[in-house]
Amino acid sequence: MIPSKKKPKPVMRHLLAMESLDKSAINYLLDLAEHFAATPSHDPSICTALCGKLVTHLFFEPSTRTIHSFEIAAKRLGTIVLQPNMMNLSTVKGESMIDTIHTFEKMGTDCFVIRHPDNFMPQFIAGELLGHTHIINAGDGYNQHPTQALLDLLTIRQHKTTFENLSVCIIGDIAHSRVARSLVEGLQKMGTEDIRLVAPQIFMPEDIKNLQVTATNKLNDGLANADVVVALRIQKERIKNSVLPDVNQYFQSYGLTQERMTHAKPDAIVMHPGPINRDIEIDSQVADGPQSVILQQVKNGVHVRMAVLHTILTQSDPS
Ligand code: CP
């Protein structure tokens, strides 16, 4: 049933960053996500697949899409999901993060799904585990959001025949975006060479030269003949010292409108990881228009997270 007969299952103790996935592992996960999407949820191969496993969510930042799609994905595969109220955790009484992790490990957690405002927190936790527990990074600071990149790649694959010849334009607050970093890495692994990052200078990452992309401050240049257009929100929660742009001015220069979309290819798709800030980075006509695949991204999120949980939690135990 699971499409592992043709392609070997990737070895995955954790999913911390796109760096750990090669093209074949990405294709395996996207194929498995498609398999889960096409199989009725009451099929025993799905609803009992991870029976007896315990998945614990630790979200130290707000989330609508990621936390709930992980919950749905884990429950559809038959796991128990522990979703603690973060305000009632003993971390607020001074317990350290690692003591909290060890406590949940001893209660039987098989896999943690972690979102944290600090870069590399899931990687740090992965180095401090007591047992063969698994970690999935659900977004760390402005570093990585690997399951978002996987669902973005699946959405692109459903609309475009190849990654190799695509022109992809990512617009907005790139500097504070873990989504942009993860997607650029994922696209490059799949063979996409023409990636344009469009942002005002204050939202360009300092390490832009290391990313092997085209960077521009001019939206129409970035959009020219693009196949895929990705709009990003301004990550206000991560902007500490620099002055935020006036939102009306920002929309005038970088807002994705119908008129601006005429610079992209007529069959270009419009993506956004969510949450959307309408009339700041994207006009409602575009967000809700025929080229938008934003809600398809949301739907794919459930199946991609099923694929990741299934792949990680069915690895053979080394003990
Ligand atoms: N795309 C994304 O991570 O959305 P949430 O913050 O709602 O999880």
Side-chain angles (χ1 to χ4, degrees):
M1 290 294 273
I2 306 291
S4 56
K5 291 198 175 99
K6 288 187 208 142
K7 293 178 186 163
K9 180 158 70 173
V11 176
M12 271 171 75
R13 161 95 188 264
H14 308 298
L15 179 58
L16 301 173
M18 290 304 285
E19 188 183 17
S20 65
L21 300 177
D22 60 15
K23 184 175 177 176
S24 136
I26 292 171
N27 274 324
Y28 177 92
L29 291 167
L30 303 193
D31 290 349
L32 187 53
E34 295 276 27
H35 167 78
F36 286 135
T39 310
S41 54
H42 59 267
D43 187 298
S45 75
I46 302 238
C47 62
T48 61
L50 299 180
C51 183
K53 299 288 185 186
L54 172 58
V55 176
T56 298
H57 289 177
L58 293 176
F59 275 61
F60 294 90
E61 272 189 354
S63 170
T64 296
R65 280 145 286 271
T66 312
I67 193 168
H68 294 110
S69 59
F70 263 115
E71 181 180 358
I72 294 163
K75 285 181 173 169
R76 285 222 183 279
L77 291 167
T79 78
I80 298 165
V81 179
L82 189 61
Q83 199 132 274
N85 178 342
M86 301 306 284
M87 297 306 291
N88 287 341
L89 279 186
S90 288
T91 44
V92 300
K93 294 189 276 186
E95 185 170 67
S96 77
M97 170 71 84
I98 296 306
D99 286 336
T100 303
I101 292 287
H102 291 168
T103 301
F104 281 123
E105 271 193 285
K106 285 298 170 192
M107 289 181 190
T109 293
D110 296 289
C111 179
F112 290 103
V113 179
I114 299 176
R115 171 170 287 192
H116 199 278
D118 294 346
N119 290 358
F120 301 106
M121 183 56 85
Q123 286 82 341
F124 170 69
I125 292 168
E128 300 289 329
L129 295 167
L130 295 175
H132 195 72
T133 318
H134 305 274
I135 306 272
I136 299 174
N137 181 357
D140 62 318
Y142 53 85
N143 181 40
Q144 282 281 311
H145 193 349
T147 57
Q148 178 71 44
L150 289 169
L151 74 89
D152 290 344
L153 293 173
L154 179 60
T155 309
I156 294 169
R157 197 176 80 164
Q158 288 166 343
H159 287 271
K160 305 292 170 189
T161 48
T162 166
F163 285 97
E164 274 84 3
N165 299 321
L166 288 182
S167 298
V168 179
C169 172
I170 306 177
I171 309 157
D173 179 8
I174 314 283
H176 305 99
S177 175
R178 54 196 176 209
V179 172
R181 280 180 189 277
S182 307
L183 181 57
V184 166
E185 218 171 321
L187 284 165
Q188 287 171 337
K189 281 172 188 273
M190 300 308 284
T192 307
E193 291 177 3
D194 184 8
I195 302 174
R196 305 106 177 244
L197 302 186
V198 181
Q201 213 49 44
I202 52 159
F203 290 157
M204 274 296 177
E206 286 174 11
D207 64 342
I208 188 82
K209 287 199 176 73
N210 302 334
L211 300 181
Q212 294 176 306
V213 294
T214 305
T216 176
N217 306 135
K218 296 193 176 114
L219 180 51
N220 290 350
D221 289 357
L223 284 171
N225 288 313
D227 300 284
V228 176
V229 179
V230 183
L232 299 173
R233 89 185 157 88
I234 300 173
Q235 316 263 307
K236 284 186 211 150
E237 67 277 23
R238 274 185 266 288
I239 302 174
K240 302 274 168 7
N241 298 323
S242 42
V243 180
L244 281 168
D246 172 82
V247 289
N248 293 322
Q249 262 179 355
Y250 183 81
F251 185 70
Q252 288 302 317
S253 303
Y254 293 99
L256 194 59
T257 61
Q258 289 281 43
E259 191 281 319
R260 292 224 168 87
M261 275 303 294
T262 60
H263 295 273
K265 286 195 183 139
D267 66 347
I269 56 169
V270 173
M271 303 175 71
H272 192 306
I276 293 173
N277 287 161
R278 291 169 187 264
D279 302 325
I280 299 178
E281 73 269 5
I282 192 165
D283 187 84
S284 285
Q285 273 191 307
V286 179
D288 305 327
Q291 288 170 279
S292 172
V293 295
I294 295 169
L295 290 177
Q296 191 178 342
Q297 289 173 267
V298 173
K299 188 173 176 187
N300 284 335
V302 173
H303 303 127
V304 157
R305 287 166 179 132
M306 287 173 80
V308 170
L309 284 165
H310 189 278
T311 303
I312 284 180
L313 283 168
T314 55
Q315 304 275 319
S316 45
D317 194 330
S319 58

